[in-house]
Amino acid sequence: MSGNGRQFNVVGKSVPRVEGADKVRGKAVFTDDMRLPGMVHGKLKHATVAHGRIVSIDVERARQVPGVLAVITGEECAKPYSVNNYKPSEWPLAKGKVVYCGEAVAAVAAMDEAAAERAVELIDVQYEELPVLLDPREALSRDDARIHDWAEHNIGYEGVQQFGDVDDTLEKSPHVVENSFYSSYTHCGFLEPQSTLADYNTGTGLLTVYTCNQLPHYLQQTIARTLDQRMEKIRVVIPTVGGAFGGKTEATPSCLVACMLSRQLGRPVKITYTREEVFHQNKGRHPAHMTMKMGFDNEGRITALDFDCLLDGGGHSSWGFVVMWFIAALTHLPYKLPVVRYKGKRVYTNKPTPGAQRCLGGVQVRMAFESMLDMGAAKVGVNPYDIRMINAVEAGYKGPTVIEVRHAEFKKCLESVASRSGFVEKYGKLPYGRGIGMAGGHYSTGGAFLLYPSFRPHSTAQLRVDTEAGVTLYIGATAIGQGAMTVLCQMVAEELGVDYREVHLVCQDTMLAPMDNGTYDSRLTYGSGHAIKNAAADIKAKLFDVAAIMVGAGKDHLECVNGEIRSIYEPNRKVAFKKAVYQYLSSVGPLFGTGEYTPPQPKGDYDGKLIGPSPAFGFTAQAAEVEVDLETGQIKVVGYWEAGDCGKAINPMSVEGQVEGAISMGLGATFFEEMVVDANGRMLNPNFHDYKMPTALDMPELQTEIVASYDPTSAYGNKEVGEGPVGPVIPAILNAVYDAIGIRFTEVPLKPEKVLWALGTIEAPAERRLHVSSESTYCARRGCAPDGSSLQEP
Amino acid sequence: MKRVIELTINGSAYDVVISPQDLLIDVLRQKLDLTGTKKGCGQGDCGTCTVLIDGRRALACLTLAIACEGRQILTIEGMEKHGVLHPIQQAFIDKGAIQCGYCTPGMVLSAKALLDEHPAPTEHEIKLGISGNLCRCTGYVKIVEAVRDAAARLQAAADCGKGA
């Protein structure tokens, strides 16, 4: 039964990637691989100060360099931009002032890269330096040194959500725990540097933009608005994307500048970032200073949460207000939370701007929340596994917000990791220095509202079936390495009974493919699934009129399987799919089908309500076993278990790859990754040598499992999988380290020196205030470890 | 001073005009359109530009083109023979070792260098062999599986060759 129930022919199979052969042969074309006739090269000049007024820019010497065709500055820029055009602050080239070191201030186009580089060096920019604010806590108190004139106290966004009487509930709760946390300043770390090839056609006025971006339709809007170019005269084409992880959801200055230069010169202009420029462009994770106060009843049920979250926003607006409210929304799952107050602030600082990174908002919340759960469990006197089971949400859960959980197998995930890791047997009983920790998580499957104000469908699919191209799917979806192309082809194949490798896919092109909200918030497979199913139903409704006569069965009794259209009841009554298509084209005409999808629109009346509700949520539970080397401070992960509820896995092999990749990103953030700026705001590690990401040697053995699940609200039972699994990694490790040595680390990355500082083996530098705390319950529970005396007081 | 040198790449000879400071990565990508070799960092940290020079792993972003005269360069474009993928390439597809694909060419060449030297590597040897190649997508699990699978395929092909 194709698509009507839980039996599938193609969906649910671990088939290889449709684009795999191109990628493994080096034939997949990434933007920087492209070259067009007459193409020239662009290069950006970057600010050398983190905060300063631009006094003058002298471009004369740059213009004299042989081969230089154009030099532009912020004076040529029409408008600033930001995500959703909410508090736009960023210009293609800085105008008036720079707000972080590395911000683009001028650009050159030249016949070759060498000439462009020489010219950029000769641009002379004079700055009047302004106070550099690097810590959001300091920035808040420096209204005298506003980073943006309109941002009082440097606050970009702030908001409060309150459900119930938090103070009263906490007052009456028998157990209350409180702690502060700091999540670090990490970078998406995609391997393909951003690249744009802009091609303005002076004859037609059409600007074609080839670039690596996750949201081509949204980028088209940004270009239109920022460069005063009509939408219909912009075509965004996305070649192969070499990783994105949220960091390619926005326009880069280089993309907009390439468009400006191409329009000025009337020839194709390519700009590809160096790795250093990628780090300065950043748009990775928001560092968060978080304080949580959580109450529990005597059984371990959470009674209330008071949550303060201060986000370090860097120089520009980016996804700031979305991150601030998403953190609030993600607090409400995967545990029942009846009473909660969230106070969020996102503050500008003079650092490269954080934006969206995989599991946006979830990493910060989970780090704090899951640590608090373990602290609460110790206080109440229950096992960390039990406290999670007691509070875990189930299908049908609706808390105080507009967020509704229509389907959940979170408890199955918790049960699976607990039993596979031997959690209950090991917890608190391993030798000192060795410990086990657990954490849960979830993520939304696309928001309920569009990124840009509009009421049109979020996902659209068009199918064309004929004898010339066979089956062709036109869809606005963008593949960023997650395997979207393959699963979309699997869905079409499922519906029309053709081989998934035979489906032609036209996507990543705003002119050829219909509008789509974009690849973010794990929305693609769910939304596209519905749209594809609807488009295929449209095709079948038309085609079966003809096929029914050919087969000699009622049109409602037909299905498409294995290249045939056949009667459900008498499978021998059948006709070849191609033959029916030929007949349809000859007797009726062209065969097109259209489908769309828009998530349910929840109603509510509180600030930030638009961000958080989702048609479905994926869930994950993880456990880590660690060994702490007390002499070196090194932490070794000796076991790692995960169980995930992604609904029906369309392609289990791809799901495993997503989960494994997500965990590796989480482990990087736990142990190594942190962008570091000096006292002047200059980044000290804008390269992969000093910004450490996990290599194959750093990875522990990962034992992942897809739990049996099917979300009936979804076209194929599927839900989110690619983002949620990043979230629990940090707290699973932090909880395991606590179990091992009785020290609760509340900041990452957890470098060996921090472990030694905390153990008292070596003295921490005076200026280094380490986020760690300890709980008296540890010694009692362990019957006081021999090294218990070395534990620090909170 | 520009000069003409002959480079042997994937068994074919190319005459290229280069400056002494030209890097192999730029010559491959910009002058010869061999864009399968990727530039991820330009600083020798990420491994996406990995090629084999006389059978040994080399980072094309740190290698001067002029130093490659008279040497055999193998890039990803040279792995496929007569339209048939190399067993390592096929294993990467079958085992789901490819996500965004940006690290893939370099990863495949590192795997080849490893398996040429150690036809039956241990898990640790595999991880060591690809530890100079970053991958941000996969967590390496399926890449390690693919290399192990490729070793078995190559071994089976070698055994088959002996028997014949």
Side-chain angles (χ1 to χ4, degrees):
Chain A
M1 293 254 290
S2 149
N4 297 323
R6 299 182 185 201
Q7 296 302 311
F8 298 107
N9 295 311
V10 193
V11 160
K13 303 272 190 301
S14 285
V15 297
R17 296 274 173 112
V18 290
E19 81 283 14
D22 276 353
K23 286 181 173 172
V24 84
R25 293 185 307 153
K27 297 290 181 205
V29 177
F30 296 83
T31 307
D32 188 54
D33 298 339
M34 295 181 66
R35 196 194 308 187
L36 290 173
M39 185 183 91
V40 298
H41 299 268
K43 199 84 195 149
L44 303 180
K45 172 85 177 178
H46 300 284
T48 50
V49 301
H51 194 193
R53 218 164 292 288
I54 298 172
V55 176
S56 65
I57 304 181
D58 182 359
V59 299
E60 275 322 301
R61 285 171 70 209
R63 283 193 210 279
Q64 304 307 320
V65 173
V68 167
L69 303 169
V71 185
I72 59 172
T73 68
E75 292 310 309
E76 273 111 314
C77 298
K79 284 178 194 151
Y81 65 99
S82 71
V83 172
N84 218 3
N85 209 30
Y86 190 35
K87 298 200 176 172
S89 69
E90 196 161 5
W91 297 81
L93 295 168
K95 202 165 186 169
K97 71 185 292 195
V98 295
V99 297
Y100 68 92
C101 186
E103 183 161 20
V105 290
V108 171
M111 294 302 288
D112 56 65
E113 278 182 279
E117 276 167 27
R118 260 197 311 281
V120 159
E121 279 170 25
L122 294 174
I123 296 173
D124 182 31
V125 189
Q126 295 296 321
Y127 302 95
E128 175 201 335
E129 293 199 37
L130 298 167
V132 174
L133 306 174
L134 300 174
D135 187 320
R137 293 165 295 190
E138 188 201 347
L140 271 174
S141 66
R142 293 293 304 273
D143 199 35
D144 61 307
R146 287 191 194 172
I147 291 170
H148 298 287
D149 292 341
W150 35 265
E152 289 177 21
H153 301 283
N154 291 306
I155 297 170
Y157 316 97
E158 64 181 323
V160 178
Q161 278 182 1
Q162 179 146 348
F163 304 97
D165 190 334
V166 176
D167 297 320
D168 186 55
T169 313
L170 284 173
E171 178 86 13
K172 289 176 181 153
S173 298
H175 308 281
V176 176
V177 290
E178 189 171 1
N179 215 335
S180 297
F181 301 86
Y182 173 68
S183 77
S184 72
Y185 188 32
T186 65
H187 181 69
C188 294
F190 39 79
L191 292 186
E192 178 208 20
Q194 288 103 333
S195 179
T196 298
L197 171 52
D199 183 17
Y200 181 73
N201 184 318
T202 48
T204 61
L206 179 70
L207 175 66
T208 304
V209 186
Y210 304 90
T211 190
C212 45
N213 190 286
Q214 301 173 236
L215 317 175
H217 289 92
Y218 186 61
L219 176 64
Q220 186 188 12
Q221 287 212 354
T222 305
I223 294 170
R225 201 160 45 208
T226 314
L227 304 187
D228 282 335
Q229 173 94 10
R230 279 162 53 210
M231 284 281 279
E232 318 86 86
K233 291 291 185 187
I234 301 167
R235 176 185 181 187
V236 175
V237 182
I238 311 292
T240 313
V241 179
F245 313 111
K248 291 177 180 170
T249 46
E250 290 174 66
T252 57
S254 58
C255 173
L256 297 165
V257 166
C259 293
M260 290 168 67
L261 288 169
S262 180
R263 213 162 51 172
Q264 183 176 331
L265 296 171
R267 58 198 294 181
V269 177
K270 182 160 82 179
I271 303 181
T272 301
Y273 275 153
T274 62
R275 182 51 58 181
E276 187 176 348
E277 289 177 303
V278 176
F279 272 100
H280 284 136
Q281 168 63 15
N282 186 22
K283 306 297 165 84
R285 198 172 310 287
H286 277 70
H289 298 267
M290 300 174 281
T291 300
M292 280 191 178
K293 192 171 180 185
M294 196 183 273
F296 297 87
D297 69 12
N298 285 321
E299 276 70 46
R301 274 185 291 266
I302 304 168
T303 54
L305 171 71
D306 197 3
F307 180 17
D308 259 42
C309 182
L310 173 64
L311 294 166
D312 184 344
H316 286 296
S317 297
S318 181
W319 284 89
F321 89 106
V322 175
V323 176
M324 188 187 83
W325 286 125
F326 221 71
I327 286 178
L330 289 166
T331 309
H332 291 273
L333 297 177
Y335 306 102
K336 293 170 221 158
L337 196 58
V339 176
V340 58
R341 176 170 55 209
Y342 171 80
K343 288 188 199 155
K345 271 196 185 75
R346 190 210 190 240
V347 174
Y348 294 109
T349 59
N350 295 115
K351 292 194 290 207
T353 312
Q357 187 175 346
R358 191 178 196 174
C359 197
L360 177 157
V363 167
Q364 295 93 332
V365 175
R366 294 266 62 78
M367 173 183 173
F369 202 108
E370 299 288 330
S371 299
M372 297 293 287
L373 273 182
D374 266 35
M375 290 170 63
K379 200 135 197 200
V380 176
V382 296
N383 185 280
Y385 166 64
D386 293 326
I387 204 163
R388 286 176 173 80
M389 287 297 282
I390 290 167
N391 289 290
V393 298
E394 292 174 297
Y397 172 75
K398 186 166 179 337
T401 68
V402 294
I403 297 166
E404 255 186 278
V405 178
R406 301 195 291 173
H407 176 264
E409 300 288 7
F410 179 46
K411 285 189 171 178
K412 265 193 203 171
C413 300
L414 289 167
E415 283 163 4
S416 168
V417 286
S419 74
R420 282 155 54 223
S421 65
F423 185 86
V424 176
E425 298 75 42
K426 289 178 185 169
Y427 182 75
K429 301 184 187 82
L430 295 168
Y432 184 78
R434 197 169 174 126
I436 191 163
M438 178 181 272
H442 77 291
Y443 212 72
S444 61
T445 310
F449 296 91
L450 272 179
L451 180 56
Y452 24 100
S454 164
F455 292 98
R456 55 205 293 190
H458 293 205
S459 307
T460 314
Q462 294 170 326
L463 277 168
R464 165 187 151 199
V465 184
D466 58 28
T467 51
E468 285 62 43
V471 175
T472 308
L473 171 67
Y474 298 80
I475 193 159
T478 300
I480 55 173
Q482 81 282 45
M485 289 186 177
T486 309
V487 300
L488 300 181
C489 290
Q490 282 180 268
M491 290 169 176
V492 174
E494 184 67 45
E495 296 296 335
L496 300 182
V498 296
D499 189 321
Y500 81 101
R501 289 163 297 192
E502 299 291 312
V503 177
H504 297 291
L505 197 52
V506 178
C507 59
Q508 312 192 171
D509 186 325
T510 57
M511 187 175 281
L512 299 184
M515 188 270 183
D516 185 274
N517 202 9
T519 298
Y520 71 103
D521 199 3
S522 292
R523 56 174 294 283
L524 202 63
T525 311
Y526 189 96
S528 303
H530 278 292
I532 288 171
K533 194 171 178 176
N534 292 338
D538 191 11
I539 290 282
K540 287 190 274 192
K542 293 168 180 164
L543 183 59
F544 285 1
D545 276 338
V546 171
I549 297 165
M550 298 173 82
V551 170
K555 77 173 274 197
D556 297 338
H557 301 172
L558 298 181
E559 63 176 357
C560 297
V561 180
N562 292 334
E564 291 170 344
I565 300 173
R566 67 184 191 194
S567 160
I568 294 167
Y569 305 110
E570 295 175 73
N572 287 336
R573 286 184 176 273
K574 60 188 181 185
V575 61
F577 180 79
K578 284 181 180 171
K579 207 169 164 183
V581 168
Y582 183 84
Q583 193 73 2
Y584 184 95
L585 298 171
S586 309
S587 54
V588 184
L591 181 51
F592 288 93
T594 304
E596 58 173 67
Y597 175 72
T598 302
Q601 310 285 296
K603 290 183 177 65
D605 189 22
Y606 55 87
D607 279 351
K609 64 181 180 293
L610 299 189
I611 297 167
S614 173
F617 294 93
F619 295 90
T620 172
Q622 303 178 13
E625 188 171 337
V626 302
E627 208 170 67
V628 182
D629 186 323
L630 302 171
E631 270 179 52
T632 64
Q634 291 274 358
I635 297 166
K636 190 177 172 196
V637 180
V638 293
Y640 206 95
W641 300 267
E642 190 270 351
D645 162 24
C646 64
K648 172 85 181 168
I650 308 292
N651 186 327
M653 183 162 73
S654 262
V655 167
E656 288 161 14
Q658 282 292 291
V659 174
E660 289 155 0
I663 294 171
S664 83
M665 186 174 276
L667 289 170
T670 309
F671 292 116
F672 326 113
E673 295 183 32
E674 185 176 38
M675 292 191 288
V676 182
V677 294
D678 68 11
N680 299 314
R682 195 163 301 135
M683 202 192 295
L684 294 173
N685 58 345
N687 57 67
F688 284 145
H689 194 74
D690 298 312
Y691 183 92
K692 300 281 188 201
M693 304 199 303
T695 72
L697 284 171
D698 298 312
M699 288 299 293
E701 194 185 331
L702 304 180
Q703 307 205 34
T704 63
E705 184 182 273
I706 303 168
V707 304
S709 174
Y710 187 95
D711 181 346
T713 73
S714 174
Y716 301 95
N718 55 294
K719 307 189 287 188
E720 174 277 331
V721 68
E723 298 195 71
V726 185
V729 182
I730 292 174
I733 302 281
L734 295 182
N735 287 340
V737 170
Y738 179 77
D739 185 44
I741 57 173
I743 296 170
R744 178 158 299 286
F745 287 91
T746 53
E747 67 163 57
V748 281
L750 198 44
K751 294 185 174 180
E753 61 264 30
K754 291 186 189 172
V755 176
L756 295 181
W757 295 342
L759 284 169
T761 314
I762 58 171
E763 205 176 325
E767 76 280 4
R768 195 68 179 76
R769 192 176 73 86
L770 189 63
H771 276 267
V772 351
S773 66
S774 79
E775 297 125 42
S776 53
T777 48
Y778 180 78
C779 294
R781 183 171 56 76
R782 276 197 177 262
C784 205
D787 308 55
S789 54
S790 70
L791 300 185
Q792 295 185 346
E793 289 307 312
Chain B
M1 273 300 273
K2 285 197 192 311
R3 53 177 282 202
V4 179
I5 63 166
E6 187 180 287
L7 290 178
T8 309
I9 305 165
N10 305 328
S12 300
Y14 296 84
D15 287 336
V16 245
V17 179
I18 62 150
S19 299
Q21 73 273 21
D22 283 351
L23 294 163
L24 180 59
I25 179 92
D26 297 326
V27 171
L28 290 173
R29 290 180 54 81
Q30 292 169 14
K31 300 200 168 164
L32 302 173
D33 271 340
L34 293 166
T35 52
T37 306
K38 302 301 175 197
K39 192 174 187 174
C41 70
Q43 295 166 310
D45 293 320
C46 75
T48 57
C49 67
T50 302
V51 296
L52 302 191
I53 300 178
D54 292 338
R56 296 174 68 90
R57 291 182 69 231
L59 296 170
C61 79
L62 297 184
T63 305
L64 291 172
I66 204 164
C68 298
E69 254 188 311
R71 304 172 74 180
Q72 297 286 332
I73 300 166
L74 178 71
T75 70
I76 192 67
E77 289 89 350
M79 287 292 282
E80 183 183 359
K81 292 277 179 280
H82 311 296
V84 179
L85 294 178
H86 188 279
I88 297 173
Q89 292 174 305
Q90 194 59 51
F92 267 63
I93 296 174
D94 295 344
K95 292 292 171 186
I98 303 162
Q99 288 194 27
C100 84
Y102 205 76
C103 76
T104 307
M107 204 60 96
V108 166
L109 286 160
S110 281
K112 181 167 193 314
L114 168 74
L115 296 180
D116 285 348
E117 203 179 336
H118 301 284
T122 61
E123 169 125 352
H124 182 74
E125 283 170 338
I126 294 174
K127 287 185 167 183
L128 198 61
I130 60 166
S131 62
N133 296 76
L134 288 176
C135 169
R136 189 59 155 173
C137 296
T138 65
Y140 305 99
V141 179
K142 300 209 179 310
I143 294 177
V144 171
E145 265 176 50
V147 177
R148 196 186 300 123
D149 183 61
R153 288 174 197 234
L154 288 163
Q155 195 59 52
D159 292 348
C160 186
K162 271 181 215 153

